[in-house]
């Protein structure tokens, strides 16, 4: 039985990882977070509530076990890693840190794990600049702390994640438009190209890393091989639906003046190579159209369930 501690894990990628782990009865999964979004109950799952920034919470709430792996989804600064590792009850055999491809210096090239990293906030990243730099500092803290403890470390840097439970305004913008029979917002002049990863592929990458010597001391980009563009997204959705999608086109001037909700920046090149995870761990990436098909079906079911609950709770007229 493998004891796995997940820090965070209620939202999006963490939630999907918990679901995937609980398919295997040999996993005993403990999730520690603030409890804002409880997970469905499962025989292999224990949910603990506490604040990861508070040493007293960590020491008193998390049980003292041999942790085969600690997977950290919500470390956003060096102190987060330090507080966790300094106060974690029991002993960890492997620490996995979820970072981001935003820690690389922006460039139009497709970036591997060897690419240059941020040394200061990059204004080109806009509102994400401080977040990205703090994640890089978090990686550095994890490297130093794990080295001092002889604790094997794996860093995973996902590109844009899409799929089940995604709360970000990414594919959800297109899905809502399709369900509500509204046109999809499409830039007329878009040079943007993006690496993306289906959330289930990210979960499978993490599972392949768990206490795996091939992952120790490694950094892995989590990024599918396709260069995703607005044109590819539109074409994929039309192939899924079997018919053309209604669209509304926005010129650069309209984007500047009207500020429509666009799921992806129209003019950025955010391309990364996820080949190392395939070469070293045998990970295969799900094609975009296949992942979008599954994500859309899941989103439609969730929207329908929310609407049914709302209708049930609303008094009927007359």
């Amino acid at each position: 039985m493998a004891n796995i501690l997940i820090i965070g894990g209620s939202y999006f990628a963490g939630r999907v990882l918990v679901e995937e782990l609980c398919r295997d009865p040999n996993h005993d999964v403990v999730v520690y977070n603030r409890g804002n979004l409880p997970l469905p109950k499962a025989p292999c799952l224990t949910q603990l509530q506490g604040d990861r920034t508070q040493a007293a919470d960590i020491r008193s709430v998390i049980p003292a076990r041999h942790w085969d792996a600690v997977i950290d989804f919500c470390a956003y600064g060096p102190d987060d890693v330090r507080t966790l590792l300094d106060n974690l009850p029991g002993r960890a055999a492997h620490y996995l840190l979820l970072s981001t491809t935003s820690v690389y210096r922006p460039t139009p090239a497709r970036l591997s794990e060897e690419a240059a990293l941020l040394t200061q906030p990059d204004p080109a990243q806009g509102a994400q600049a401080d977040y990205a730099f703090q994640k890089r500092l978090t990686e550095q803290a994890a490297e130093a702390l794990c080295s001092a403890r002889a604790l094997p470390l794996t860093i995973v840097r996902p590109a844009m994640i899409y799929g089940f439970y995604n709360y970000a305004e990414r594919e959800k913008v297109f899905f809502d438009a399709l369900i509500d029979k509204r046109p999809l917002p499409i830039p007329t002049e878009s040079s943007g190209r993006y690496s993306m990863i289906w959330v289930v592929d990210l979960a499978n990458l993490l599972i392949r890393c768990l206490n795996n010597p091939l992952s120790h001391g490694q950094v892995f980009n989590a990024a599918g091989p396709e260069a995703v563009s607005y044109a590819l997204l539109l074409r994929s959705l039309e192939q899924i639906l079997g018919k053309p999608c209604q669209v509304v086109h926005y010129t650069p001037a309209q984007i500047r003046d009207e500020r429509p909700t666009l799921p992806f920046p129209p003019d950025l090149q955010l391309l990364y190579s996820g080949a190392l995870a395939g070469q070293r761990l045998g990970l295969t990436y799900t094609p975009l159209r296949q992942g979008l098909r599954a994500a859309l079906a899941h989103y439609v079911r969730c929207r329908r369930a929310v609407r049914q609950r709302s209708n049930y709770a609303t008094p009927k007229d007359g």
Side-chain angles (χ1 to χ4, degrees):
M1 182 71 71
N3 291 320
I4 300 169
L5 174 63
I6 298 178
I7 310 299
S10 289
Y11 292 88
F12 194 21
R15 194 177 189 91
V16 172
L17 175 64
V18 170
E19 291 178 352
E20 294 298 313
L21 287 171
C22 286
R23 298 181 191 277
D24 185 343
N26 292 314
H27 290 145
D28 189 356
V29 182
V30 175
V31 176
Y32 173 80
N33 55 41
R34 294 185 180 184
N36 294 329
L37 185 63
L39 292 158
K41 295 186 182 301
C44 74
L45 178 62
T46 302
Q47 301 176 61
L48 303 175
Q49 186 171 343
D51 186 340
R52 63 108 16 95
T53 69
Q54 300 300 312
D57 279 10
I58 293 171
R59 290 196 299 266
S60 63
V61 175
I62 297 175
R65 295 184 185 174
H66 173 84
W67 299 107
D68 294 281
V70 177
I71 308 174
D72 197 341
F73 275 91
C74 57
Y76 300 114
D79 285 346
D80 288 339
V81 177
R82 188 173 297 107
T83 302
L84 175 66
L85 295 183
D86 282 351
N87 295 281
L88 180 67
R91 180 173 176 80
H94 188 195
Y95 180 55
L96 292 91
L97 176 68
L98 268 290
S99 186
T100 170
T101 50
S102 297
V103 299
Y104 295 110
R105 295 181 191 174
T107 171
R110 188 182 290 271
L111 302 179
S112 73
E113 291 83 354
E114 302 301 319
L117 297 163
L118 295 173
T119 56
Q120 61 186 15
D122 189 328
Q125 294 183 325
Q128 293 292 307
D130 188 61
Y131 164 80
F133 184 56
Q134 286 299 314
K135 289 294 275 188
R136 176 58 191 142
L137 294 179
T138 303
E139 291 183 356
Q140 292 176 319
E143 289 165 350
L145 290 164
C146 288
S147 176
R149 290 166 169 77
L151 171 61
L153 168 67
T154 303
I155 296 174
V156 175
R157 296 173 179 154
M160 290 187 186
I161 312 170
Y162 74 96
F164 310 146
Y165 311 119
N166 191 359
Y167 51 83
E169 294 291 322
R170 289 178 182 160
E171 72 274 11
K172 177 179 180 293
V173 173
F174 283 172
F175 291 174
D176 281 335
L178 291 173
I179 294 170
D180 298 335
K181 295 181 169 45
R182 294 183 282 105
L184 278 59
I186 302 291
T188 57
E189 302 173 26
S190 175
S191 60
R193 299 293 184 273
Y194 327 103
S195 291
M196 300 181 68
I197 181 166
W198 189 34
V199 67
V200 178
D201 288 347
L202 175 57
N204 288 334
L205 169 55
L206 291 168
I207 290 170
R208 288 172 182 267
C209 288
L210 291 179
N211 210 18
N212 179 352
L214 292 176
S215 76
H216 292 176
Q218 293 293 316
V219 176
F220 294 106
N221 290 342
E226 294 156 298
V228 180
S229 63
Y230 273 92
L232 179 57
L233 285 163
L234 179 59
R235 184 165 66 250
S236 299
L237 288 171
E238 290 180 335
Q239 290 170 339
I240 291 167
L241 298 172
K243 61 180 181 181
C245 292
Q246 183 184 3
V247 303
V248 55
H249 289 107
Y250 289 93
T251 66
Q254 288 173 314
I255 293 172
R256 182 188 65 244
D257 297 337
E258 300 177 23
R259 298 182 179 275
T261 300
L262 296 172
F264 307 100
D267 56 357
L268 291 184
Q269 301 283 330
L270 301 172
L271 294 173
Y272 309 94
S273 172
L276 183 63
Q279 296 163 2
R280 196 167 185 87
L281 302 176
L283 180 72
T284 58
Y285 291 100
T286 301
L288 176 69
R289 184 171 63 182
Q290 183 179 334
L292 278 178
R293 185 188 299 276
L296 176 58
H298 181 268
Y299 191 75
V300 169
R301 290 195 299 271
C302 290
R303 280 257 319 227
R304 185 179 298 123
V306 169
R307 185 169 61 249
Q308 288 172 345
R309 286 197 297 270
S310 176
N311 289 341
Y312 180 80
T314 302
K316 300 291 189 292
D317 292 339

